[in-house]
Amino acid sequence: MPVQTTLNKLLASFPANFLEKRAGFLLLIDPDKYDEPTLLKLVEDATAFGVAAILVGGSTMISNRLDEYIRHIKSVSPLPVIIFPGSVVQVSREADAILYLSLVSGRNPEYLIGHHVIAAPLIQQLELEPISTAYLLIESGRKTAVEFMSNSSPIPRHKPEIAAAHALAAEYLGMKLVYLEAGSGADYSVPEEMISLVSKTISVPLIVGGGLRTPEDVHRKVIAGANFVVVGNAFEHRHDKIYLQEMIAATNLSRQNQSVPR
Ligand code: 1GP
């Protein structure tokens, strides 16, 4: 029997989700953007509505209270908490795992291997599970924080075959997940044509995020082939429970057939 790692928990839901025509919903929280009661309420509600895991992080996160935030999140939710690091300082022994991201769409060696070498001994010391993830930045209108901070060019949005070749190379290199990223608050999310080609090309789970604001956005990405969707920014602007519920429910396509998403 495989060890019950956080990655295995996510992967276990992958084939089942595929058969049930649904995707996992990953709630992204940048703790700097919430007051604590709002944050905890969001986590509680998202847990009740069936989120797969909580991602914590952000490109410019400056909080030095990451341990404390994660402890608080875990006090109200049994879900895995996975660090989505914007920089090497975002590590915590309180998390279950960390997305060990390699920015394979870029050619900046620091984001391909440099930061990983710095962070690896610390991750081992903290006994934090690294989840090897290919991170592909996709052009999305204006320059995003990730593009600026990483000093790397995104893949043109009208070149799905370039994205697919990068994703396949990453899978061949042994990466366990592929993440197509338009950037937080992106004007344009990852195009469905690209999601579709990448999902047909690779056999590891595909994560899609950046600029998803409506249940219909989520729905379209899942139909195109996303196995997990990530939403963060939208909930920083809208705190109502019904919106949260509809966003999460939009990952379930069989349910969507019964009610048209807004
Ligand atoms: C950003 O993909 C994530 O890194 C989520 O994007 O914040 O726009 O939902 P949003």
Side-chain angles (χ1 to χ4, degrees), residues 24-117:
F25 194 101
L26 302 173
L27 172 67
L28 172 62
I29 291 175
D30 179 345
D32 283 339
K33 304 283 172 60
Y34 292 94
D35 60 59
E36 191 162 318
T38 310
L39 173 84
L40 296 184
K41 184 76 177 61
L42 174 67
V43 171
E44 266 179 342
D45 290 342
T47 304
F49 296 144
V51 154
I54 311 276
L55 303 185
V56 178
S59 296
T60 54
M61 198 172 91
I62 50 169
S63 179
N64 55 3
R65 295 171 54 207
L66 189 56
D67 288 352
E68 193 183 328
Y69 280 127
I70 295 175
R71 269 198 301 272
H72 289 179
I73 289 170
K74 285 185 149 300
S75 73
V76 297
S77 172
L79 290 173
V81 175
I82 304 171
I83 297 176
F84 177 42
S87 74
V88 285
V89 298
Q90 291 171 17
V91 288
S92 164
R93 69 169 76 243
E94 302 295 332
D96 296 289
I98 183 166
L99 290 185
Y100 204 56
L101 303 168
S102 186
L103 184 58
V104 300
S105 58
R107 297 296 180 270
N108 181 343
E110 291 306 312
Y111 288 84
L112 283 165
I113 183 66
H115 291 304
H116 311 70
V117 173

Side-chain angles (χ1 to χ4, degrees), residues 28 84 135 179 181 183-186 209-212 230-233:
L28 172 62
F84 177 42
Y135 196 49
Y179 190 146
E181 170 70 278
S184 189
L212 305 181
V230 181
V231 180
N233 194 269

